Amino acid sequence: MSAAARSGPPPPPTPGLSAELAVRVPQLLAAMRSVGSGLELHSTLERICEAAATLTDARYAGIGVVDEDGDALADFVFHGVDAGTARRIGRFPDGHKGLLGALIRESEPVRLADVTEDPRSWGFPEHHPRMRGFLGVPIRVSGEVFGNLYLGEKRGGDPFNDSDVNMVRVLATEAGIAIGNARLYEAAKQRERWIDGSVAVTTALLSGGDAEDALQVVAERARRLSGSAAGIVLLPAAEGGMEIVAVSSEQPSDQLGRVVAPDSEIVAQLLDGRPVFVADAATDPRMLSALARAYGPIMALPLQSGGRVLGALVTPRARGERPFTEDERTLAIQFASQAALALMMAEAQRDRERLAVYEDRDRIARDLHDLVIQRLFATGMLLESAQRGSLVPEVRRGVGNAVDELDVTIQEIRTAIFALQQGPAEAPSGLRTRVLREINMAAVPLGFQPGHRFVGAVDTTVGDLTGKNLVAALREALSNAFRHAAAARIEVAVDATAILPDGRPGVRLTVADDGVGIPAGGRRSGLKNLKRRAESLGGDSWYGPGIGADGGGTTVVWQAPH
């Protein structure tokens, strides 16, 4: 409404309309235009509040959005209360009691001259502005109650009159149409975001990169899309239950590597392929750990494809946050199914790559055995023949030393052949052996054998969880060296006698190379993953100069408590 319309004389009465209606109808039309001027849902609700307050000359206005069950408020939008006062009031009404709760159940307009005298009123919370006059009108969208529009304290202290009720009812009808359009727009945008997230997850899983990085993408996307406090990916654990393998959270988390016990009812349902929805983790008896009970609403979705459960995706919201809507649940289930399909495809792709590596290792082992060792044997026999035919002592000793070196070389090649032919299931469980296995496996693509050194009782001192993460960190560091360093020499050290900065005993892994180093502005995803893994155990990770000339190359250090 223009400034002239607000400050100029009222228009002449229209035949059939009272003078008051002649003034207020243009105001109503302006309010209706304002209400329908946008598509974003929250801003639409704010415009409705402001338009209703202006139309009725009310100091305060609010909209309570009814939840899916129709018996409480899922959201509350207000006008006329400043941000500081809103913070002091604290939590907004939930509609379970008082006059606002009665309005949800009655769904009819309510007008009161003094709200404090109504028997349904429970009074106002501390710091709430005092008000007497009250008007509440339901807002319907497609015939169903979406929420209620509340108006309080008419300026000048007058009560709300019949004209106010009629105007607000017309405005509420227009508001219902605007809200319906905004909800359709919001649903379309939400579906678009979830589809984009599914595409990003599929791309990450099938890009051929590190599987743990891809699972981290799943956790991060799920957290952001669902508006949750965290995104957690779990995979079935070897000893039963499910292990947390990826965590996305705004706050540092120590959940990585934890195993949820198989006797958990929720784990059993997830492994059976059934989603689990928790309204409030703090009060749900299925929550076995204090960590889970620290959250509010939770979605736990199986990652399943083709009848096979690959893992689970959990998205918990903070305490006091609204529950997940039916649309959000449906979109999240579709996202989890797409992520599971991408996981299966990525697993098949890695199996093909692993098979190609094993075939290549078998070929290398056969070539070493059938060609290299035979030639070394032949060379050794020639040298022994030459040694017997020589009369010079120095020559005989020199040839004898060369024959001994050949014997040592043959033994080392046989050891390498055994390592090449050893399958993953045949590897013993000791940490030292697992580290050697990773080094031997890396030697194939590298084209040379990295050096190694152990300090302290590695097998007996380092715990299972730390050992598992150390091996994964070693695999990541060797993979980075192979893909990016162009190194000719790599040295691996595992020190089980390390002392961490806070004085705790720990284990320190060092992987140093003489390659090209880390270029400025280069990708750091692998290094960030190492640091995140260490911090989840209470440790740390960093990098520095390598073992090449003048500090060339890179040294990666990873450490954690025993």
Side-chain angles (χ1 to χ4, degrees), residues 28 31 46 81 91 110 115 284 334 357 376 380 385 419 471 487 509:
L28 175 61
E46 290 177 337
V81 179
R91 291 188 62 180
V110 173
V115 67
D284 196 296
Q334 293 172 352
V357 170
L376 289 175
S385 177
V471 171
L509 167 69

Side-chain angles (χ1 to χ4, degrees), residues 195-220:
I195 290 172
D196 290 343
S198 296
V199 171
V201 165
T202 302
T203 302
L205 288 169
L206 299 180
S207 63
D210 188 88
E212 293 181 357
D213 285 346
L215 292 175
Q216 188 67 26
V217 171
V218 175
E220 290 175 358

Side-chain angles (χ1 to χ4, degrees), residues 344-385:
M344 286 192 67
M345 295 172 63
E347 187 179 81
Q349 178 176 295
R350 286 193 296 272
D351 286 343
R352 289 193 297 269
E353 294 172 352
R354 191 179 296 115
L355 180 60
V357 170
Y358 288 152
E359 290 175 347
D360 199 29
R361 289 168 62 183
D362 287 341
R363 179 187 58 79
I364 294 171
R366 286 194 303 270
D367 290 346
L368 287 174
H369 184 271
D370 297 342
L371 300 176
V372 179
I373 288 184
Q374 297 302 324
R375 290 179 180 177
L376 289 175
F377 266 124
T379 303
M381 293 176 65
L382 289 173
L383 288 173
E384 287 180 344
S385 177

Side-chain angles (χ1 to χ4, degrees), residues 390-407:
S390 176
L391 300 177
V392 181
E394 290 80 3
V395 173
R396 292 172 63 89
R397 283 195 300 271
V399 172
N401 291 336
V403 171
D404 292 341
E405 288 295 327
L406 282 176
D407 288 339

Side-chain angles (χ1 to χ4, degrees), residues 16 29 108 134 474:
L29 294 175
E108 293 293 335
F134 176 84
L474 172 61

Side-chain angles (χ1 to χ4, degrees), residues 228-249:
S228 300
I232 304 170
V233 177
L234 303 94
L235 297 181
E239 62 273 22
M242 304 191 82
E243 179 185 358
I244 297 175
V245 296
V247 178
S248 173
S249 175

Side-chain angles (χ1 to χ4, degrees), residues 22-45:
V23 172
R24 301 193 70 176
V25 165
Q27 295 177 339
L28 175 61
L29 294 175
M32 292 170 69
R33 285 196 300 270
S34 172
V35 165
S37 62
L39 287 174
E40 199 275 324
L41 181 58
H42 193 81
S43 61
T44 298
L45 298 178

Side-chain angles (χ1 to χ4, degrees), residues 68-423:
E68 290 184 339
D69 296 331
D71 56 5
L73 296 181
D75 196 9
F76 191 83
V77 179
F78 59 89
H79 169 78
V81 179
D82 61 82
T85 302
R87 283 195 299 270
R88 288 192 293 273
I89 294 174
R91 291 188 62 180
F92 292 107
D94 54 19
H96 287 298
K97 61 184 180 181
L99 184 58
L100 301 191
L103 276 172
I104 295 175
R105 292 182 288 275
E106 295 175 7
S107 300
E108 293 293 335
V110 173
R111 180 176 47 159
L112 301 172
D114 190 347
V115 67
T116 61
E117 295 180 357
D118 191 277
R120 295 168 294 183
S121 175
W122 281 62
F124 297 103
E126 190 178 1
H127 306 297
H128 193 287
R130 297 300 169 188
M131 62 180 67
R132 297 179 63 191
F134 176 84
L135 176 59
V137 177
I139 299 176
R140 289 180 170 85
V141 177
S142 300
E144 296 182 358
V145 175
F146 169 83
N148 290 296
L149 172 60
Y150 313 115
L151 296 163
E153 195 64 18
K154 196 175 177 70
R155 296 183 188 276
D158 296 331
F160 293 100
N161 55 35
D162 291 340
S163 179
D164 292 326
V165 174
N166 292 331
M167 291 293 171
V168 173
R169 293 183 76 164
V170 174
L171 182 64
T173 301
E174 176 65 21
I177 297 172
I179 290 170
N181 293 335
R183 291 174 78 179
L184 290 174
Y185 175 78
E186 191 76 17
K189 295 294 291 184
Q190 190 177 44
R191 289 191 188 93
E192 182 181 350
R193 289 192 296 268
W194 280 96
I195 290 172
D196 290 343
S198 296
V199 171
V201 165
T202 302
T203 302
L205 288 169
L206 299 180
S207 63
D210 188 88
E212 293 181 357
D213 285 346
L215 292 175
Q216 188 67 26
V217 171
V218 175
E220 290 175 358
R221 288 283 179 166
R223 176 179 69 86
R224 293 175 183 173
L225 290 169
S226 63
S228 300
I232 304 170
V233 177
L234 303 94
L235 297 181
E239 62 273 22
M242 304 191 82
E243 179 185 358
I244 297 175
V245 296
V247 178
S248 173
S249 175
E250 293 181 356
Q251 303 298 326
S253 173
D254 60 352
Q255 301 177 50
L256 196 65
R258 291 194 177 188
V259 175
V260 183
D263 57 354
S264 165
E265 181 181 344
I266 290 180
V267 167
Q269 292 185 32
L270 290 172
L271 292 175
D272 196 37
R274 291 177 290 160
V276 178
F277 302 103
V278 177
D280 186 4
T283 58
D284 196 296
R286 294 173 294 179
M287 298 294 106
L288 301 180
S289 68
L291 181 64
R293 288 194 294 271
Y295 292 110
I298 294 178
M299 277 194 301
L301 309 173
L303 296 171
Q304 61 179 337
S305 181
R308 177 186 170 197
V309 177
L310 304 174
L313 174 62
V314 179
T315 55
R317 281 179 174 164
R319 294 281 299 274
E321 289 288 329
R322 62 177 179 82
F324 293 97
T325 65
E326 192 64 36
D327 285 344
E328 288 174 326
R329 294 180 181 184
T330 301
L331 291 170
I333 290 173
Q334 293 172 352
F335 174 86
S337 298
Q338 181 65 29
L341 178 60
L343 274 172
M344 286 192 67
M345 295 172 63
E347 187 179 81
Q349 178 176 295
R350 286 193 296 272
D351 286 343
R352 289 193 297 269
E353 294 172 352
R354 191 179 296 115
L355 180 60
V357 170
Y358 288 152
E359 290 175 347
D360 199 29
R361 289 168 62 183
D362 287 341
R363 179 187 58 79
I364 294 171
R366 286 194 303 270
D367 290 346
L368 287 174
H369 184 271
D370 297 342
L371 300 176
V372 179
I373 288 184
Q374 297 302 324
R375 290 179 180 177
L376 289 175
F377 266 124
T379 303
M381 293 176 65
L382 289 173
L383 288 173
E384 287 180 344
S385 177
Q387 182 186 35
R388 288 192 297 271
S390 176
L391 300 177
V392 181
E394 290 80 3
V395 173
R396 292 172 63 89
R397 283 195 300 271
V399 172
N401 291 336
V403 171
D404 292 341
E405 288 295 327
L406 282 176
D407 288 339
V408 173
T409 302
I410 291 172
Q411 292 300 321
E412 290 178 347
I413 292 176
R414 282 176 169 165
T415 301
I417 292 173
F418 175 75
L420 286 169
Q421 293 176 332
Q422 188 179 46

